[in-house]
Amino acid sequence: MEYLIVFLPLIGSLICYLGKDLGNLFSEISSSLLIVVSAVLSIIIFYNGFVHNIYGNYQILNWINSGELNVNWSINIDPLSSVMIVVVTLISALVHIYSIGYMSHDPHKPRFMSYLSLFTFSMLCLVVSDNFLQLFFGWEGVGLCSYLLIGFWYKKNSANNAAIKAFIVNRVGDFGLAIGIFLIFFQFGTLNFSELFNLVELNSDKNIKFIFADFNLITTICVFLFIGAMGKSAQFILHTWLPDAMEGPTPVSALIHAATMVTAGVFLVVKCSPLFEYSQFALNLVAIVGMITALFAASVALVQNDIKKIIAYSTCSQLGYMFFAAGIGAYHVAMFHLFTHAFFKALLFLGAGSVIHVFRDEQDIGNMGGVWKKIPFTMTLMLIGTLALTGFPFLSGFYSKDAIIEFAYLKNSNIGTYVVVVGIFTAFLTSLYSWRLFIRTFFGEYNNKKISLKELHESPPVMTIPLIILALGSIFSGFLFKDIFIGQSNLEFWNDSIFFLNDFKNTKISTWFLLLTPSIVLISIPIAYFIYLKDKSILDGIKKTNLPLYKFLLNKWYIDEFYEITLVRPIKKLGLTFWKKGDENTIDRFGPDGVSKLIKFISNKASQFQTGYIYDYAFVMLIGLSALITFLILK
């Protein structure tokens, strides 16, 4: 069963690609059916683990055995991986089914379905790995599939540029991850998780010389691993690829950039909790970067107009929540938010895709509005996703997001206090931009001048059924799983898959603090109603009086412009210099071009002797004979 979960998506990918001549329907049904089977099996695995404590390591083959390097290709099922395979396969199955309707007019559906299935296989390889090398294989696999899916519409320059940008930015993070893996093998002689984690405590005080200075070994490794996590999970500085990745089809955004691939960084940090727990510096770094990312992305989402980019920045912000939860040592809470977030963020992305489908590929919320009566079903499902994202009481986001803030409060430290403040303020910003998207999309005046309001209609059932399932997860997943993931018996569920060096103090939290975040979330609803619908002049006045701030947010803190000035232009100029002065004017001029010109010159001169007159040939023969005799005499 464990083998089927991992390899059924790969089989589906191969069937779609090799059988593309069999038609679209064949690729859709075969790939979707195999992913659905994989999802059902993953739920069974999770249930068996939770109820019967059935876990294990299932070896596929002995992969590499060379000197000290001995790694297997295995399927490691523990509580952490069992949660991840449920998230990956379930969301992937729903996205596959949804894509049947969304991509109905695309001429390359078999290729698209093949890429989706291949991505699922790569992500599964990542989360069930029992060593860093297999994890790195899956890590790079999802990066490749992300590149292929973002640039799926390769005839669009914007899609190609976005795919290249995602690939390059992720290579920066992957370089950090690779260095971390090299350090681990160089210092510990193993890449297997179980062997490494048993050696960490004994080497927690060990220092190494790195760049002419001494650094703590565990801290150095953790920092480099976190750089890899930053790239994959789009954290501040390495986040710029995520909004641009919205150029890919909407199902791609839901699968890769909301529920699965971008959570790989969070999974890596949680998986390596036995390392991070012995480096307070690394944990503080994780928490600080997470806080900055959460605040940055939420502030930028306030002023964006592209419906998918707003949700993309929302994803970036929620990933920040997960990281600063991990940074305070609440790894289980980070995983809980990862689990609930997968449902409501995939719901929002696919719901946005349904809206885009209705509006015939229109993504600007300024060209929408006033359609709630035409598409009430889609509106209701988007409402559920919005409520869950904002942390509305008793929906999934309420339990997981508030848990992060509460555990930060229980941390009773300086970093915990900062997390509480940033978490609460970001929750308020989240509510504002979420309701802005919802109100401007469905309410107010109808602003689309290209499509008549009468032409709008709901999406087909093949697109709405996955939304219903995600909506149920958005409503109930928090309530049903909070005791399992973060309740009093959470250590019993997670077993040894998550390592806790320090437990949280069992301090009673004041009632006012428990009510603070939900109250802010509720208050934000009438505020959003007044400034985005009832009296828009209030918002216009705020923009005019704070124009520099508005432009700062609209231009995404000028991070892309900063990279353009400091990195892109200098590197491009340096490359052009080496190309023109180095390649063309030096290497080519005196190398192949110079030699070819010389040979051509000699050939042209030699051809002048080909006159057809015997005395010219006799003259050439005489010169040759004289040269030969001279050579022999001198020799």
Side-chain angles (χ1 to χ4, degrees):
M1 185 160 56
E2 291 78 9
Y3 299 100
L4 290 175
I5 291 174
V6 175
F7 287 104
L8 282 178
L10 177 61
I11 295 170
S13 177
L14 293 174
I15 288 174
C16 289
Y17 192 79
L18 298 177
K20 53 189 174 183
D21 294 333
L22 298 176
N24 293 341
L25 185 62
F26 173 77
S27 64
E28 294 165 354
I29 299 300
S30 59
S31 60
S32 300
L33 182 60
L34 291 172
I35 296 294
V36 168
V37 172
S38 183
V40 172
L41 294 177
S42 68
I43 294 172
I44 294 173
I45 291 290
F46 175 81
Y47 176 81
N48 287 337
F50 171 61
V51 177
H52 303 296
N53 198 33
I54 299 176
Y55 299 108
N57 189 294
Y58 307 90
Q59 181 177 329
I60 299 174
L61 54 88
N62 189 287
W63 191 12
I64 299 175
N65 191 353
S66 176
E68 293 184 352
L69 181 59
N70 188 0
V71 292
N72 297 325
W73 189 280
S74 300
I75 299 175
N76 183 54
I77 301 296
D78 59 13
L80 181 61
S81 62
S82 69
V83 172
M84 289 300 298
I85 61 175
V86 168
V87 171
V88 172
T89 56
L90 183 57
I91 300 300
S92 179
L94 295 174
V95 169
H96 272 74
I97 296 169
Y98 179 92
S99 299
I100 295 174
Y102 190 86
M103 302 294 287
S104 58
H105 301 296
D106 195 281
H108 305 291
K109 289 178 72 174
R111 179 165 60 91
F112 181 76
M113 303 302 282
S114 176
Y115 289 166
L116 286 182
S117 295
L118 182 62
F119 166 81
T120 307
F121 166 72
S122 299
M123 190 68 192
L124 288 172
C125 287
L126 190 159
V127 299
V128 301
S129 58
D130 73 343
N131 61 78
F132 276 102
L133 195 60
Q134 184 181 337
L135 181 142
F136 193 73
F137 171 84
W139 193 274
E140 293 302 307
V142 294
L144 169 64
C145 294
S146 176
Y147 170 79
L148 295 173
L149 286 165
I150 294 171
F152 179 75
W153 289 321
Y154 57 87
K155 293 184 180 179
K156 289 174 58 179
N157 287 330
S158 58
N160 288 326
N161 293 336
I164 293 171
K165 185 176 183 179
F167 198 78
I168 292 175
V169 173
N170 272 276
R171 293 293 72 71
V172 176
D174 293 353
F175 182 66
L177 176 60
I179 293 178
I181 294 174
F182 294 153
L183 270 175
I184 289 171
F185 182 70
F186 182 72
Q187 293 294 328
F188 295 98
T190 182
L191 292 178
N192 296 311
F193 293 134
S194 58
E195 296 175 5
L196 168 66
F197 296 157
N198 289 331
L199 299 172
V200 172
E201 186 176 2
L202 296 175
N203 293 272
S204 59
D205 296 326
K206 183 178 180 180
N207 291 336
I208 59 169
K209 189 173 289 294
F210 186 80
I211 315 180
F212 311 110
D214 288 333
F215 294 94
N216 179 266
L217 171 62
I218 303 301
T219 297
T220 305
I221 291 172
C222 288
V223 168
F224 280 113
L225 292 179
F226 180 58
I227 291 173
M230 286 175 63
K232 197 65 73 181
S233 293
Q235 293 301 281
F236 188 68
I237 299 300
L238 297 180
H239 70 276
T240 54
W241 67 271
L242 184 61
D244 290 5
M246 298 303 106
E247 289 292 337
T250 300
V252 174
S253 304
L255 178 62
I256 296 180
H257 309 121
T260 53
M261 190 190 85
V262 289
T263 62
V266 180
F267 169 78
L268 176 65
V269 172
V270 175
K271 184 72 177 179
C272 295
S273 55
L275 285 166
F276 280 88
E277 282 291 273
Y278 286 97
S279 174
Q280 190 58 49
F281 175 85
L283 284 175
N284 290 344
L285 177 64
V286 173
I288 291 169
V289 171
M291 285 188 286
I292 295 173
T293 305
L295 187 60
F296 155 76
S299 66
V300 171
L302 283 171
V303 297
Q304 299 300 307
N305 292 314
D306 187 305
I307 188 171
K308 287 173 63 177
K309 286 190 176 182
I310 295 172
I311 303 175
Y313 278 111
S314 172
T315 299
C316 199
S317 181
Q318 297 305 305
L319 288 166
Y321 270 93
M322 298 174 205
F323 273 111
F324 63 62
I328 61 172
Y331 306 101
H332 55 315
V333 185
M335 287 302 300
F336 182 38
H337 193 50
L338 183 155
F339 182 77
T340 61
H341 175 264
F343 289 102
F344 60 75
K345 190 52 62 66
L347 173 61
L348 285 171
F349 261 120
L350 294 183
S354 184
V355 172
I356 294 168
H357 187 76
V358 167
F359 278 97
R360 299 177 189 173
D361 298 327
E362 177 60 66
Q363 296 185 197
D364 191 336
I365 59 175
N367 295 326
M368 299 178 184
V371 297
W372 69 275
K373 289 183 179 180
K374 297 293 293 183
I375 49 174
F377 193 71
T378 300
M379 185 273 294
T380 303
L381 294 170
M382 285 285 283
L383 175 62
I384 293 171
T386 301
L387 290 170
L389 171 61
T390 59
F392 193 83
F394 309 117
L395 272 74
S396 60
F398 165 75
Y399 292 100
S400 58
K401 189 187 294 184
D402 280 26
I404 294 174
I405 297 172
E406 290 165 15
F407 273 81
Y409 179 83
L410 292 174
K411 185 70 175 177
N412 196 25
S413 64
N414 290 333
I415 196 74
T417 303
Y418 296 141
V419 166
V420 169
V421 174
V422 172
I424 293 174
F425 182 64
T426 304
F428 175 68
L429 296 181
T430 302
S431 294
L432 287 182
Y433 71 67
S434 298
W435 289 114
R436 173 178 177 264
L437 182 150
F438 183 77
I439 290 170
R440 295 193 62 183
T441 300
F442 296 103
F443 294 91
E445 298 179 0
Y446 182 71
N447 298 311
N448 196 298
K449 298 179 180 178
K450 296 180 180 179
I451 308 170
S452 170
L453 185 60
K454 296 179 181 179
E455 299 179 46
L456 302 184
H457 56 82
E458 290 282 9
S459 299
V462 72
M463 293 174 63
T464 54
I465 290 174
L467 294 178
I468 295 172
I469 298 173
L470 290 170
L472 292 174
S474 301
I475 296 171
F476 298 111
S477 62
F479 173 75
L480 293 176
F481 291 93
K482 66 181 178 64
D483 289 331
I484 298 173
F485 287 174
I486 63 172
Q488 292 298 318
S489 61
N490 64 77
L491 294 180
E492 295 178 9
F493 169 72
W494 295 109
N495 290 331
D496 296 328
S497 63
I498 297 179
F499 178 72
F500 297 92
L501 186 61
N502 299 306
D503 202 359
F504 289 85
K505 296 180 180 179
N506 191 16
T507 307
K508 186 176 180 180
I509 302 176
S510 302
T511 304
W512 70 267
F513 184 80
L514 293 174
L515 296 175
L516 181 59
T517 305
S519 299
I520 291 174
V521 169
L522 292 173
I523 291 171
S524 67
I525 298 175
I527 294 174
Y529 170 76
F530 274 101
I531 64 176
Y532 295 126
L533 185 62
K534 186 71 174 178
D535 189 357
K536 296 181 181 179
S537 62
I538 299 174
L539 187 61
D540 294 334
I542 295 174
K543 287 181 182 179
K544 289 179 181 179
T545 54
N546 298 276
L547 193 59
L549 176 61
Y550 175 72
K551 289 185 177 179
F552 179 72
L553 297 179
L554 191 63
N555 288 283
K556 301 159 288 188
W557 290 22
Y558 294 102
I559 301 296
D560 282 296
E561 289 77 5
F562 173 76
Y563 284 157
E564 180 73 21
I565 294 172
T566 59
L567 291 174
V568 177
R569 290 180 186 174
I571 292 174
K572 188 176 181 180
K573 187 176 181 180
L574 183 65
L576 289 172
T577 301
F578 278 120
W579 173 33
K580 291 293 184 182
K581 295 184 178 181
D583 285 357
E584 289 189 349
N585 295 338
T586 304
I587 297 175
D588 289 348
R589 182 181 178 187
F590 297 103
D593 290 349
V595 172
S596 63
K597 287 181 179 179
L598 178 63
I599 292 174
K600 185 177 181 181
F601 174 79
I602 295 172
S603 300
N604 289 335
K605 291 299 181 183
S607 65
Q608 294 178 4
F609 290 101
Q610 305 295 324
T611 61
Y613 297 106
I614 193 170
Y615 51 79
D616 285 330
Y617 298 142
F619 177 70
V620 171
M621 293 171 64
L622 181 62
I623 292 175
L625 181 62
S626 301
L628 178 62
I629 294 172
T630 303
F631 174 76
L632 293 174
I633 292 173
L634 292 176
K635 186 177 180 182

